[in-house]
Amino acid sequence: MTTTRRTFLAQAGMAAAGIMLAPQLASAKSLNGIGLQLYSLRDELPKDVKGVIAKVSKAGYKEVETFGYSKQNGFWGLSAKEFAALLKANGLKSPSGHYGLDEYFGTGNMDEFNSYIEAAKILGQTYIVVPSLNHDLIKTAADFRSIAEKMNKAAKICKAHGLKLGYHNHNFEWKETEGTTFYDTILNHTDPKLVAMEMDIYWVVRAGKDPIEIFKKHPGRFAMVHIKDMDKANHELNTEIGSGAIDYKDILAKAKLAGIKHYIVEQENFTNIDPFVSIAKSAKYLKTKLYL
């Protein structure tokens, strides 16, 4: 089992917030179509949301994927309109956001869902992405099918508002239950035209699966990918793209087969490196080595 967005991974050797950016950060090339999942900077954002967003832009990113929105607190104290203005001022777009839909999937209550739709439209997002699910909702194969059906319904609601539904995986989706898995169920029983998959490649590899084989089996389903590398010594830790154990050159060479439209860098933990330097290193590798 993996941690989820509800339980932060332990931080190892995190540099203190506010450290000055390294010189190479400001000189990083702009990366059209390559974004950053802001969860990577979850410890820094509440302290200085405006400063963090400016640094993300200076690192060369052109897109961000949001997380953690609530109608009460908005995005780190900024309303959706204020946050949209902040992104625009820094030359950033947000094609997708992570929005927890446990309440909708569990009870059918639309209150939170409606607030997410409103925020996503204000930000100009295309995808409302389910970042994870309460495991109590997916205990049995029947639960898997029920959630798949609810995803189709949620996707139709999104479509009515000019949005699309997405699903982001960890590794628990491949736990076999009654001869099937949750991931296979949602791939096989959600409408490909309505439900987009956001493959977190790191967690696929952690689950012992081959991303390319999944691309081949379900071509065109993966509108988005999360890109974070696996520390060679400790597979439970992340590292900068190109420094770890995952062969991204081979995997991302299959982007057309997969249907990838957005490449989203995410790093859930940092070891002995300032987070802003880390995201710049990953961005530079993607631009100079993978030519995305």
Side-chain angles (χ1 to χ4, degrees):
M1 291 295 179
T2 174
T3 56
T4 70
R5 292 298 185 268
R6 288 177 288 275
T7 303
F8 291 168
L9 291 176
Q11 300 301 296
M14 180 74 77
I19 292 177
M20 294 296 289
L21 292 177
Q24 74 240 37
L25 187 60
S27 63
K29 294 180 180 178
S30 293
L31 305 172
N32 293 317
I34 298 176
L36 179 73
Q37 167 50 259
L38 292 176
Y39 184 77
S40 306
L41 302 172
R42 62 196 175 277
D43 291 327
E44 290 75 22
L45 279 161
K47 301 170 187 175
D48 181 15
V49 59
K50 293 181 179 179
V52 168
I53 294 302
K55 290 177 182 179
V56 170
S57 178
K58 287 179 182 178
Y61 292 94
K62 287 296 184 181
E63 298 180 350
V64 295
E65 183 173 63
T66 61
F67 81 98
Y69 174 81
S70 72
K71 193 169 186 178
Q72 294 73 28
N73 299 316
F75 293 101
W76 305 284
L78 299 180
S79 69
K81 289 182 179 179
E82 290 170 334
F83 191 68
L86 176 64
L87 294 180
K88 184 177 181 179
N90 285 279
L92 294 167
K93 295 182 179 180
S94 181
S96 59
H98 279 197
Y99 298 95
L101 287 174
D102 282 350
E103 183 178 349
Y104 171 78
F105 288 128
T107 69
N109 188 297
M110 283 290 301
D111 291 347
E112 273 192 341
F113 195 176
N114 285 331
S115 74
Y116 298 155
I117 289 170
E118 180 183 10
K121 291 175 71 174
I122 290 171
L123 264 61
Q125 292 176 333
T126 300
Y127 301 95
I128 286 181
V129 180
V130 180
S132 185
L133 282 170
N134 185 328
H135 291 197
D136 288 339
L137 296 174
I138 47 173
K139 291 181 177 179
T140 69
D143 291 340
F144 299 169
R145 287 293 298 270
S146 175
I147 292 296
E149 291 171 7
K150 290 177 180 179
M151 282 188 180
N152 283 326
K153 291 179 181 178
K156 289 178 181 177
I157 294 169
C158 287
K159 183 179 180 181
H161 292 276
L163 300 166
K164 294 181 180 179
L165 188 75
Y167 182 81
H168 165 271
N169 66 276
H170 289 83
N171 62 347
F172 66 82
E173 289 87 352
W174 283 275
K175 181 183 178 183
E176 188 165 331
T177 302
E178 300 172 44
T180 189
T181 71
F182 179 59
Y183 204 70
D184 287 331
T185 301
I186 57 175
L187 276 171
N188 292 327
H189 295 283
T190 57
D191 188 338
K193 295 179 180 178
L194 295 175
V195 179
M197 304 300 287
E198 179 178 69
M199 180 187 280
D200 190 311
I201 295 172
Y202 166 84
W203 284 116
V204 171
V205 175
R206 274 284 298 274
K209 304 299 179 180
D210 183 345
I212 294 175
E213 289 304 311
I214 297 173
F215 293 160
K216 290 178 179 178
K217 192 173 181 180
H218 301 278
R221 284 301 305 268
F222 305 91
M224 299 161 283
V225 287
H226 269 196
I227 305 174
K228 53 178 174 273
D229 218 334
M230 177 182 286
D231 186 88
K232 292 178 180 178
N234 183 351
H235 289 182
E236 294 184 3
L237 297 178
N238 298 157
T239 190
E240 291 64 51
I241 313 303
S243 301
I246 298 177
D247 185 355
Y248 275 105
K249 289 184 178 179
D250 193 29
I251 295 169
L252 296 183
K254 305 298 183 182
K256 186 175 181 181
L257 172 68
I260 301 169
K261 296 179 176 66
H262 300 280
Y263 304 82
I264 304 165
V265 172
E266 182 184 40
Q267 191 153 338
E268 295 187 13
N269 45 79
F270 302 89
T271 304
N272 300 321
I273 187 172
D274 173 61
F276 295 107
V277 175
S278 175
I279 65 171
K281 288 182 68 175
S282 290
K284 183 177 180 181
Y285 180 84
L286 289 171
K287 182 66 175 180
T288 61
K289 300 298 183 181
L290 298 183
Y291 306 105
L292 297 177

